[in-house]
Amino acid sequence: MSEGSGEVFIWVLLSLLLVILLVRLSRRPPHYTLRARDVHKGHSWCSTHSIKPIFCSICETLINVSDGSFCNSCGVCADSPQCMRTSDRTLPCKVITTRCTKHKHHWVKGNLPLNVQCHVCEEECGTDPHLSDWWCCWCRWCAHDSCIHSVTEICDFGKLRECIVPPNCIRLKYSRIKQHLYIKEVLKPKISGWSPVIVVGNSKSGSSEADAVLSSFCSVLNPAQVIDLNRCSPEEALEWCHLLPPDVTCRVVVAGGDGTVCWVLTSILKMKFEKDPLVAVLPLGTGNDLSRVLGFGTGQSGDADVVEYLQELNTARPAFLDRWRVHFTPARSLNIGTREVYMYNYLSVGVDALVTLNFHLARQSPFYIFKNRLINKMIYFTFGTKDVLEHECKDLDQRLEVFMDGQRVPLPSLESLVVLNIACWGAGVRPWTLGAGGSEAPEQNFSDGLMEVFCLASSLHIAQLQVGLGEPIRLGQCSSLKLCLKGEAPMQVDGEPWKQTPGTITLSHSKQASVLMREDS
């Protein structure tokens, strides 16, 4: 072998080894780092939104609701930038981590929660019109100025101890490359029934109420347990589930609408946990259909009582939610445009997807200023009534073929086809059981491996279902579904709409998601 041939052989061999290495690395799950805030740099300041009088923790001046700031972790308040800087230097914030083996109370003076009693004398405290009395920002114990010296210094985290990750169980590490602290290890505390709660939400999505809700969770949990998806991906937030000991059940609370919940559920699937976390919902969206089915209500506001919510969460039971893989294959060759998404709530093609698409485009506009949930629903209804006259999805049955469990199903005249995984649709409507045929319809269950398929004749038909004066055109239940779309049509999956080009859409079962369900649901 000549010298030149030998060099070519070596380069080819090195290239093959590099390809093999890249393939193996691509098969490994990506490694994420979970950032942690450095509390030694100061408090986590937010605008005040208190419904009661509050006083500056430095100068003790009464703060106007719209003027002051407060730390969403420890509750310290300030009425000016100067007092904020003084607080950062002199008043310690709620720690994320500590090496102390025994956890002590973190006392904050004044601005106590409403209607609280002194832990020592059991008399009402925090009622004086000035900065007085004390409360612990971990266990929520309160004490008068004259009684605080009688309280033991050891804190047991109060009624929410099962939900909280104690600071002495978290180990941090500083990354010189990324220039930030991240959580390296989480130890198991000696707390009976410990099942920590991780809270995720997007402060910039929907009605923007998530920002206030996340701040409220920071005040009752370890701030490291609360993650804003506007600052990091769900995969980074879910790294908590890798850090926790394997025998611990992790609970993930998603503060947001159906879209945010489905985003997190899909991220859990992609991360391939040995033991999936249990997902609960604190509903902040417009529709909140999954939240209704799981028993977490129709919607919360920014001043939601997170302490009550976490106490009720301790009584919720685990359940399994069917997950469906939705595969899109374009009609043209080369498979350009092939993609997959996952469905947890419902899928539709036609007029109701058109209404969702129009509403979605309106909200994406920089001129859209409405954040109120009721106003959003009214605007959504306006888009629905608009199509009553236009009939943009007329004769959809002539552009669509439906195969349920491999059998082609004849279609009536329709403007929309809907596929259900859960009982609720269209912000609280339960279409499968409506009307005279509802009592005879097959039983619906979100963990039975079956989808429910029905048709809608028009936008007016949707309005009739909304007020309970009609019933859907039921096609039946199936475990697999194929839709052949011959022309462009609006489509949506779990509230995410788009214009679908001609092609084939197949739905197949893809494991189940682990969720939490309220007992009274």
Side-chain angles (χ1 to χ4, degrees):
M1 182 182 293
S2 65
E3 184 177 346
S5 300
E7 290 181 356
V8 171
F9 176 77
I10 292 174
W11 278 109
V12 170
L13 182 61
L14 289 174
S15 299
L16 288 173
L17 291 174
L18 180 61
V19 170
I20 293 172
L21 178 61
L22 290 174
V23 169
R24 289 189 175 182
L25 288 175
S26 66
R27 290 177 179 175
R28 294 180 182 178
H31 177 69
Y32 299 96
T33 58
L34 181 60
R35 295 191 182 196
R37 184 175 68 87
D38 187 356
V39 298
H40 295 100
K41 293 182 178 180
H43 296 277
S44 177
W45 295 106
C46 300
S47 299
T48 56
H49 57 265
S50 176
I51 60 174
K52 65 182 183 65
I54 57 174
F55 301 88
C56 178
S57 299
I58 299 298
C59 66
E60 303 191 13
T61 302
L62 179 65
I63 300 176
N64 293 327
V65 174
S66 59
D67 294 341
S69 299
F70 76 104
C71 175
N72 65 10
S73 297
C74 67
V76 166
C77 299
D79 69 335
S80 65
Q82 181 180 355
C83 288
M84 291 169 63
R85 290 190 292 269
T86 304
S87 297
D88 288 336
R89 293 194 309 268
T90 61
L91 299 178
C93 191
K94 195 177 187 179
V95 294
I96 291 174
T97 181
T98 180
R99 289 286 182 175
C100 297
T101 56
K102 293 183 178 180
H103 183 75
K104 298 181 180 179
H105 290 290
H106 183 127
W107 294 109
V108 178
K109 185 174 182 179
N111 302 315
L112 276 65
L114 292 171
N115 303 319
V116 293
Q117 290 183 335
C118 176
H119 189 75
V120 178
C121 67
E122 298 184 355
E123 296 291 333
E124 188 175 8
C125 61
T127 57
D128 294 334
H130 56 86
L131 196 72
S132 62
D133 300 337
W134 300 81
W135 64 286
C136 173
C137 60
W138 284 106
C139 66
R140 323 296 287 182
W141 281 12
C142 300
H144 291 110
D145 292 326
S146 57
C147 297
I148 190 171
H149 301 292
S150 302
V151 181
T152 175
E153 66 175 8
I154 302 302
C155 176
D156 66 353
F157 298 102
K159 297 179 180 179
L160 299 178
R161 65 179 65 89
E162 296 175 7
C163 305
I164 296 174
V165 180
N168 57 12
C169 293
I170 293 181
R171 299 290 180 264
L172 298 182
K173 186 175 182 180
Y174 182 74
S175 171
R176 295 186 180 275
I177 297 175
K178 297 184 178 181
Q179 298 290 305
H180 66 73
L181 288 170
Y182 69 92
I183 299 178
K184 174 187 175 183
E185 184 183 17
V186 180
L187 307 176
K188 186 177 180 179
K190 295 180 180 179
I191 298 176
S192 178
W194 188 61
S195 179
V197 172
I198 310 305
V199 182
V200 298
N202 190 341
S203 61
K204 299 299 181 183
S205 69
S207 59
S208 298
E209 292 173 329
D211 195 14
V213 170
L214 293 178
S215 293
S216 298
F217 275 113
C218 282
S219 70
V220 299
L221 301 174
N222 188 320
Q225 295 174 243
V226 185
I227 301 105
D228 187 351
L229 297 181
N230 184 50
R231 299 176 181 174
C232 70
S233 67
E235 289 79 9
E236 290 179 73
L238 292 167
E239 186 64 19
W240 264 108
C241 305
H242 279 142
L243 293 168
L244 290 169
D247 60 334
V248 173
T249 299
C250 179
R251 295 175 290 175
V252 176
V253 172
V254 182
D258 288 342
T260 306
V261 179
C262 296
W263 185 22
V264 171
L265 290 174
T266 299
S267 299
I268 290 173
L269 174 68
K270 293 178 179 178
M271 294 187 73
K272 299 178 180 179
F273 295 111
E274 291 184 9
K275 182 180 181 181
D276 284 351
L278 299 173
V279 176
V281 186
L282 193 151
L284 298 175
T286 303
N288 301 318
D289 287 301
L290 182 57
S291 174
R292 297 168 196 262
V293 171
L294 297 179
F296 289 101
T298 60
Q300 297 275 6
S301 60
D303 58 355
D305 189 339
V306 298
V307 174
E308 181 182 357
Y309 176 87
L310 290 171
Q311 289 175 334
E312 293 176 350
L313 191 67
N314 288 333
T315 63
R317 62 181 177 87
F320 292 106
L321 174 69
D322 286 330
R323 178 190 286 114
W324 300 93
R325 180 187 292 110
V326 185
H327 185 85
F328 303 90
T329 305
R332 297 183 179 181
S333 58
L334 301 180
N335 285 337
I336 298 175
T338 298
R339 64 190 184 99
E340 285 186 349
V341 299
Y342 291 91
M343 181 192 83
Y344 301 89
N345 301 347
Y346 37 70
L347 171 152
S348 66
V349 182
V351 64
D352 68 319
L354 176 64
V355 174
T356 304
L357 178 60
N358 288 335
F359 179 66
H360 175 75
L361 294 175
R363 294 180 75 177
Q364 296 300 311
S365 169
F367 303 104
Y368 192 86
I369 59 174
F370 303 107
K371 299 296 184 181
N372 184 273
R373 186 182 292 117
L374 179 60
I375 294 177
N376 282 334
K377 288 184 177 181
M378 292 174 63
I379 295 173
Y380 190 93
F381 176 76
T382 301
F383 282 119
T385 55
K386 173 176 171 286
D387 192 74
V388 173
L389 301 175
E390 296 180 354
H391 292 284
E392 192 173 327
C393 298
K394 186 180 179 181
D395 300 325
L396 179 64
D397 50 291
Q398 298 179 17
R399 290 176 282 157
L400 187 66
E401 292 181 355
V402 178
F403 297 83
M404 299 173 61
D405 291 332
Q407 300 295 318
R408 183 174 179 178
V409 179
L411 296 177
S413 177
L414 60 93
E415 291 190 16
S416 182
L417 181 107
V418 181
V419 183
L420 291 180
N421 183 47
I422 61 175
C424 279
W425 163 86
V429 180
R430 294 180 178 256
W432 194 248
T433 56
L434 284 177
S439 59
E440 300 177 0
E443 185 179 353
Q444 188 178 21
N445 191 310
F446 58 64
S447 59
D448 60 1
L450 295 174
M451 300 170 275
E452 290 73 37
V453 186
F454 67 87
C455 302
L456 298 169
S458 63
S459 294
L460 183 60
H461 192 182
I462 296 177
Q464 290 173 333
L465 296 183
Q466 291 280 355
V467 296
L469 296 178
E471 64 179 294
I473 305 170
R474 300 176 185 85
L475 298 185
Q477 292 176 313
C478 60
S479 57
S480 66
L481 181 68
K482 183 171 75 171
L483 307 176
C484 298
L485 188 61
K486 300 175 184 178
E488 188 179 76
M491 183 173 180
Q492 64 96 7
V493 174
D494 292 338
E496 297 298 322
W498 67 91
K499 279 281 189 179
Q500 178 61 39
T501 56
T504 302
I505 305 155
T506 58
L507 281 79
S508 57
H509 197 265
S510 180
K511 301 181 180 179
Q512 290 180 315
S514 299
V515 295
L516 281 169
M517 193 170 183
R518 287 270 297 276
E519 288 292 347
D520 58 359
S521 63

